[in-house]
Amino acid sequence: MASNVVHNINAAVTNQLDATRGIARSHVKLGNGIGSPTFTPTKKPTPALKMQPVIDDHHKNSKQTIHEGKFGKFGGKFVPESLITCLAKLEAEFNLVLNDSKFQEELEVALRDFVGRETPLYYAERLTRHYKDEEGKGPEIYIKREDLNHCGAHKMNNAIAQVMIAKRMGRRRVVAATGAGQHGVATAAACAKHDLECTIFMGSEDIKKQSSNVVLIKLLGAQVKSVEGNFKDASSEAIREWVGNLERSYYLTGTVVGPHPCPAMVREFQSVIGKETRKQAMEKWGGLPDVLVACIGSGSNALGLFNEFINEEDVRLIGVEAAGFGLDSGKHSATLSKGHVGVYHGALSYLLQDDEGQILVPHSVGVGLEYPGVGPELSFLKESGRAEFHTAIDKEAVEAYKRVCRLEGIFPSLEASHAFAYLDELCPTLTDGCKVVVNCSGRGDKDAAIVFNYGHHQEC
């Protein structure tokens, strides 16, 4: 595995990777680079709601295969040598639990009784009517209600599973980073349930914006450490903390970024979203969704929904990034729309970076979307053309938040509101009766003050 760390990468990367700071700080600009392998979707029968081991991945029937956490040219392990053994142990444990019936039974119970799954696939009747044309024709809109999970977001699906793994591995202390606070709350709650110490790193700017989640994290018994900056800075600091105590600590990532096996683990534990959606769609209308829509930050909620349908070529996969004040403003988080290929936080993917390869500061009214990178699998889905990616500016997301509140009585997070915002552009292009599923990845109580105080003086 060590050869995978530096294979086909500029030697400048490895010079940055010292034992305590490398994975957190390393990045190098590779440009738009070479093309990626051809993706050939294939049909598959409806599976049972069981997770499959990563070695039996859904990509196995396509021309592209995953090896050592690679999605085409993306992914990998760009980390210090000191972390290779640690990541290998984590990968081995991950594959063990996927085939361990006792673990799977415990996780199933936790997802049902602690998390509150399955979450509804809700027919948004008034939102559907809102997008009908003058002849009364238009798509039918369904909302996957991840906001109804315990702690108010999809993040708990992954947090509870990884805390269970940490406990199996004998780790007594969990370290995590959070942006909007949803992953922090979920991790703190899961650690409280399993009697583990928990430290959450959070950017100073995000602490001010998401103070209610900070209070919840502390009430759950976790320690909150403030880091100057935002989520990317908190992530770097959390990784450094983990590297400093590998034998006792467990780094619980909530995003599909980082070195292998981290993206695969998060994707796998979030894939319950798509598996339920397939089952519920068959029950409701006897077929698959036509279009899936999810917001894109680093990508965990999107891949959780998309993963089950990647080989279903008739299902459109649409990710919506945060355009902030506009794509030309320099103040956005649209990594797949405006980024370039490079290495950051241990993996090769698309990044927001300048001409010298320095990471740019992302912006979004949805704090959870403020990350300068994106998962390697989403990077591959972009280059392969299997998924399409669009954007919504801050103002559009705020208006979508209000619209969903007033039409459906649902408070979507500002992150998820970017997905709802894209319906304005999408729905007029769809045929009558087309089935659209929007992933409401989180609850928007935390954003109510931001939305209420959002002024028309904001730049757009």
Side-chain angles (χ1 to χ4, degrees):
M1 281 183 286
S3 62
N4 187 48
V5 180
V6 293
H7 187 58
N8 290 336
I9 193 69
N10 192 298
V13 178
T14 57
N15 291 337
Q16 300 178 57
L17 301 179
D18 62 78
T20 61
R21 302 174 69 86
I23 185 175
R25 289 290 181 103
S26 67
H27 57 269
V28 60
K29 186 174 184 178
L30 301 183
N32 289 321
I34 57 177
S36 52
T38 302
F39 182 88
T40 305
T42 55
K43 293 285 184 181
K44 62 179 180 180
T46 302
L49 291 180
K50 292 291 184 182
M51 291 183 294
Q52 297 299 316
V54 72
I55 56 174
D56 187 26
D57 199 89
H58 63 262
H59 288 288
K60 66 181 180 180
N61 293 324
S62 73
K63 293 182 180 179
Q64 190 267 350
T65 57
I66 297 173
H67 179 67
E68 298 295 339
K70 296 299 289 293
F71 302 87
K73 67 185 180 185
F74 300 104
K77 296 179 184 176
F78 297 92
V79 298
E81 197 70 25
S82 60
L83 282 182
I84 292 298
T85 300
C86 180
L87 290 171
K89 289 179 181 178
L90 180 60
E91 181 180 2
E93 192 68 30
F94 175 48
N95 280 306
L96 280 175
V97 302
L98 291 179
N99 295 283
D100 185 325
S101 59
K102 183 178 179 181
F103 180 92
Q104 292 298 319
E105 289 171 3
E106 291 176 357
L107 179 58
E108 183 178 352
V109 170
L111 289 173
R112 184 191 67 219
D113 297 343
F114 184 67
V115 182
R117 304 206 70 91
E118 63 184 44
T119 59
L121 183 61
Y122 166 78
Y123 176 53
E125 183 176 0
R126 292 193 66 203
L127 199 60
T128 294
R129 288 207 304 267
H130 176 78
Y131 286 108
K132 295 287 187 184
D133 62 19
E134 294 178 354
E135 297 179 354
K137 296 180 178 180
E140 296 179 3
I141 299 169
Y142 290 80
I143 302 174
K144 184 57 175 165
R145 296 293 308 277
E146 291 302 294
D147 57 305
L148 296 180
N149 278 337
H150 178 43
C151 297
H154 72 292
K155 294 295 187 180
M156 183 58 83
N157 303 326
N158 167 69
I160 190 64
Q162 287 212 51
V163 164
M164 290 169 61
I165 291 175
K167 196 169 184 178
R168 276 176 58 113
M169 296 179 72
R171 305 294 192 261
R172 295 300 306 163
R173 180 169 179 258
V174 170
V175 177
T178 191
Q182 299 293 67
H183 176 59
V185 173
T187 300
C191 285
K193 174 177 169 57
H194 286 279
D195 191 24
L196 298 181
E197 297 177 34
C198 181
T199 302
I200 304 296
F201 289 84
M202 195 168 182
S204 55
E205 298 173 14
D206 298 338
I207 286 176
K208 296 175 184 176
K209 297 175 185 176
Q210 304 290 327
S211 58
S212 62
N213 277 338
V214 175
V215 171
L216 290 176
I217 293 169
K218 291 180 178 179
L219 285 173
L220 289 163
Q223 180 183 11
V224 178
K225 288 192 175 182
S226 177
V227 179
E228 187 67 29
N230 56 21
F231 177 56
K232 71 178 181 64
D233 307 294
S235 296
S236 296
E237 197 62 38
I239 292 170
R240 280 194 286 273
E241 180 85 2
W242 169 56
V243 170
N245 193 353
L246 292 174
E247 292 303 315
R248 186 171 181 269
S249 298
Y250 183 98
Y251 176 60
L252 202 162
T253 177
T255 66
V256 287
V257 300
H260 180 68
C262 296
M265 292 177 69
V266 177
R267 186 277 313 277
E268 197 66 36
F269 293 132
Q270 292 293 358
S271 67
V272 65
I273 302 171
K275 291 172 183 176
E276 285 182 3
T277 299
R278 175 191 283 268
K279 171 178 170 288
Q280 292 165 326
M282 294 300 296
E283 292 171 350
K284 286 181 179 293
W285 62 81
L288 298 179
D290 296 301
V291 185
L292 303 177
V293 186
C295 65
I296 300 286
S298 57
S300 62
N301 93 93
L303 278 180
L305 179 64
F306 294 171
N307 183 65
E308 179 67 15
F309 301 94
I310 285 177
N311 289 321
E312 302 288 356
E313 59 185 346
D314 294 331
V315 180
R316 287 177 67 184
L317 311 178
I318 298 178
V320 185
E321 295 188 294
F325 293 148
L327 292 180
D328 296 326
S329 69
K331 295 181 179 181
H332 60 78
S333 297
T335 306
L336 290 168
S337 300
K338 298 291 284 186
H340 301 282
V341 176
V343 173
Y344 189 57
H345 284 164
L348 180 70
S349 67
Y350 275 89
L351 306 173
L352 293 177
Q353 53 188 319
D354 62 21
D355 292 338
E356 283 72 46
Q358 297 302 304
I359 298 301
L360 299 174
V361 177
H363 163 77
S364 173
V365 70
V367 175
L369 303 183
E370 288 186 322
Y371 185 72
V374 70
E377 186 169 5
L378 284 173
S379 296
F380 171 74
L381 292 178
K382 168 188 165 68
E383 287 214 348
S384 68
R386 176 61 187 95
E388 55 192 275
F389 299 95
H390 304 274
T391 62
I393 61 174
D394 286 351
K395 184 177 180 180
E396 291 168 335
V398 170
E399 290 304 314
Y401 179 106
K402 295 177 181 178
R403 184 181 309 119
V404 176
C405 284
R406 292 168 181 170
L407 293 181
E408 295 297 340
I410 294 171
F411 296 93
S413 66
L414 273 172
E415 291 79 22
S417 295
H418 286 72
F420 285 107
Y422 185 65
L423 294 178
D424 280 1
E425 183 176 337
L426 174 67
C427 288
T429 70
L430 300 177
T431 58
D432 186 42
C434 179
K435 304 295 191 296
V436 178
V437 174
V438 181
N439 195 15
C440 187
S441 56
R443 197 170 63 213
D445 310 47
K446 66 183 180 64
D447 301 316
I450 296 174
V451 172
F452 189 79
N453 294 319
Y454 189 86
H456 295 291
H457 64 278
Q458 297 280 345
E459 292 181 62
C460 294

